[in-house]
Amino acid sequence: MNYLRKFPAIFSRNAFVLLCWGIWLCLHGSNLILSVQLSLVPMFAAALAIFCAMIGCIFTVNHYADQLAELLDEPFGTLLLTLSVAIIEVSLMLVVIFEGDKNPSMLRDTVYATLMIMLNGMIGLSLVAGGWRHFEQTFNLRGAMSFLHLIVPLVLILLVMPNSTFSSGGPTLSPVQEVFMGGLCILVYVLFLVMQTTRHKALFVYQHVDNESLSISALPQHSSSHKRRIAIAGAALGLIVAIVPVVLLAEYLGDVINHGIEVLHAPVDLAALIIASLVLAPEGLSAFRAATANHMQKAMNICLGSALSTIALTVPCMLLVAGLQNIDLNLGVIGGSSTLLYATLLTTLITLSSERTTMLQGNVHLMIFLSYLFFIFYP
């Protein structure tokens, strides 16, 4: 009887998951190739519907991952949350890279877009919204700097150093260098997770704790082990059921993105921006809500953690696949993008060094983000 009462809530929570499964079954059952069998306007209308359904489904993935993160002991909860986002991001990039004309710059452009969105767009928006509502906000300086201590060297090694290597031509790495860097990124990230979830957990603790968060965190301890196992199984099943349609629909969305860029002669960087925006939408909204609720520590953890997980998880996966498929990936950032990248890292360092945030700092981050968007279309 209790399950019948909960059915409307369960159905509404998984509405986008059911919609994504329905869209995929229709496309797969009819063998429809959007870029071939539809004209331009219907194709983009269908792609927009798929994009919106996938965003809703990714929000559901984030919901179930958050549930598991609360139910499981660390570091498994944190690992599951970051792996869920990485799976979706990698699946989208694989389709865009391998379908049609291979795009060797997709990995670089997507990582670069992720850095611009999280370190400039979302941090800037969070600082402006939080500063407007609360004037000044504080966060744990040592925890935020711990993120940056990894982000800066990994970004410079992966996105700048390939321009200066001699083992391969152009802004690329040789297969041996790709394997080494991929393994190094994973190792460093695992060590960071161990530090974040065990010995130095206090560095990443939110400064504001309310009654709601206390009740949520205390739920697993006061619940019986049987109910806890049922809750873990339900959340894990929901997570899998929500992730699979996003991965399956990535093929159709990637096909439309590739075809649209070719037909409209749009900038290639636009595809990376679309992929990064799709994957980061739930985390960006969570950071914005945290900032407006005066939980700047949580907002910083989300923004910096998303940037770090992209570099330390997504990049190694793509390097491994590229090595197995004998595909050369352009990794080095070139032109004006390198200047924006340096400005982003320097501005983020200055912002985090202050330990207190205001609207002024947020405006600077938003200025860099708007410059990034502008130079996509006018390089």
Side-chain angles (χ1 to χ4, degrees):
M1 197 69 180
N2 291 332
Y3 291 104
L4 293 178
R5 293 174 182 174
K6 294 179 180 178
F7 181 78
I10 295 174
F11 178 81
S12 61
R13 186 186 307 128
N14 295 279
F16 282 103
V17 178
L18 297 174
L19 179 61
C20 283
W21 274 110
I23 293 174
W24 178 79
L25 289 173
C26 292
L27 294 174
H28 183 72
S30 60
N31 293 322
L32 181 64
I33 302 176
L34 299 179
S35 61
V36 175
Q37 297 172 268
L38 295 180
S39 59
L40 197 60
V41 174
M43 179 191 70
F44 281 114
L48 181 61
I50 294 174
F51 183 83
C52 294
M54 290 176 70
I55 284 184
C57 200
I58 291 174
F59 272 99
T60 306
V61 169
N62 196 63
H63 168 76
Y64 284 118
D66 282 335
Q67 278 190 344
L68 284 172
E70 294 170 357
L71 291 168
L72 294 174
D73 296 330
E74 296 295 351
F76 302 106
T78 303
L79 277 171
L80 197 58
L81 185 60
T82 53
L83 283 174
S84 301
V85 175
I87 289 172
I88 296 173
E89 191 171 27
V90 169
S91 64
L92 284 166
M93 280 196 291
L94 286 175
V95 172
V96 176
I97 289 176
F98 295 136
E99 292 291 331
D101 295 335
K102 292 181 172 57
N103 185 356
S105 302
M106 179 53 59
L107 175 61
R108 176 196 67 193
D109 296 339
T110 304
V111 174
Y112 178 67
T114 299
L115 294 174
M116 293 295 111
I117 291 173
M118 298 311 294
L119 298 185
N120 288 320
M122 288 318 306
I123 285 184
L125 191 60
S126 298
L127 294 182
V128 169
W132 178 266
R133 189 166 184 176
H134 304 286
F135 188 66
E136 274 191 355
Q137 294 176 290
T138 60
F139 57 91
N140 192 321
L141 175 62
R142 294 175 63 193
M145 293 301 292
S146 297
F147 280 110
L148 204 60
H149 283 162
L150 267 71
I151 291 175
V152 171
L154 288 178
V155 166
L156 295 178
I157 291 173
L158 293 172
L159 298 183
V160 177
M161 192 180 68
N163 293 325
S164 304
T165 57
F166 299 100
S167 299
S168 57
T172 63
L173 296 176
S174 67
V176 175
Q177 291 171 334
E178 289 179 347
V179 172
F180 173 78
M181 290 310 306
L184 186 62
C185 289
I186 294 176
L187 176 61
V188 171
Y189 189 64
V190 169
L191 293 175
F192 175 81
L193 283 179
V194 173
M195 182 200 73
Q196 183 186 22
T197 56
T198 54
R199 298 186 62 180
H200 300 284
K201 190 174 182 178
L203 298 179
F204 307 92
V205 172
Y206 307 154
Q207 289 191 335
H208 299 271
V209 181
D210 52 21
N211 294 330
E212 182 182 357
S213 63
L214 286 173
S215 63
I216 292 175
S217 61
L219 182 61
Q221 286 127 8
H222 295 291
S223 300
S224 66
S225 59
H226 177 67
K227 290 183 178 179
R228 185 171 180 268
R229 286 195 295 268
I230 292 178
I232 291 174
L237 179 62
L239 179 66
I240 295 172
V241 173
I243 280 183
V244 172
V246 176
V247 175
L248 294 175
L249 286 176
E251 177 181 358
Y252 297 94
L253 184 63
D255 177 59
V256 173
I257 290 175
N258 280 329
H259 183 71
I261 289 176
E262 293 176 4
V263 172
L264 300 177
H265 303 288
V268 178
D269 292 347
L270 187 60
L273 178 62
I274 293 173
I275 292 174
S277 301
L278 176 64
V279 175
L280 298 174
E283 292 175 295
L285 181 60
S286 297
F288 179 79
R289 288 175 174 173
T292 55
N294 204 20
H295 295 173
M296 183 51 67
Q297 179 66 50
K298 181 176 181 179
M300 287 294 182
N301 283 355
I302 292 173
C303 294
L304 297 174
S306 298
L308 179 59
S309 64
T310 296
I311 300 170
L313 283 180
T314 304
V315 170
C317 292
M318 296 302 298
L319 290 178
L320 179 61
V321 173
L324 295 176
Q325 297 289 332
N326 294 322
I327 295 177
D328 292 327
L329 296 177
N330 294 334
L331 296 174
V333 175
I334 58 177
S337 298
S338 59
T339 303
L340 287 177
L341 183 61
Y342 298 144
T344 296
L345 296 177
L346 180 60
T347 303
T348 305
L349 176 61
I350 296 173
T351 298
L352 298 183
S353 299
S354 64
E355 199 174 358
R356 289 183 175 273
T357 62
T358 63
M359 288 181 60
L360 176 61
Q361 297 159 316
N363 290 331
V364 176
H365 283 274
L366 289 178
M367 177 194 70
I368 299 176
F369 180 67
L370 292 176
S371 299
Y372 159 70
L373 295 179
F374 178 81
F375 284 108
I376 287 179
F377 299 96
Y378 298 96

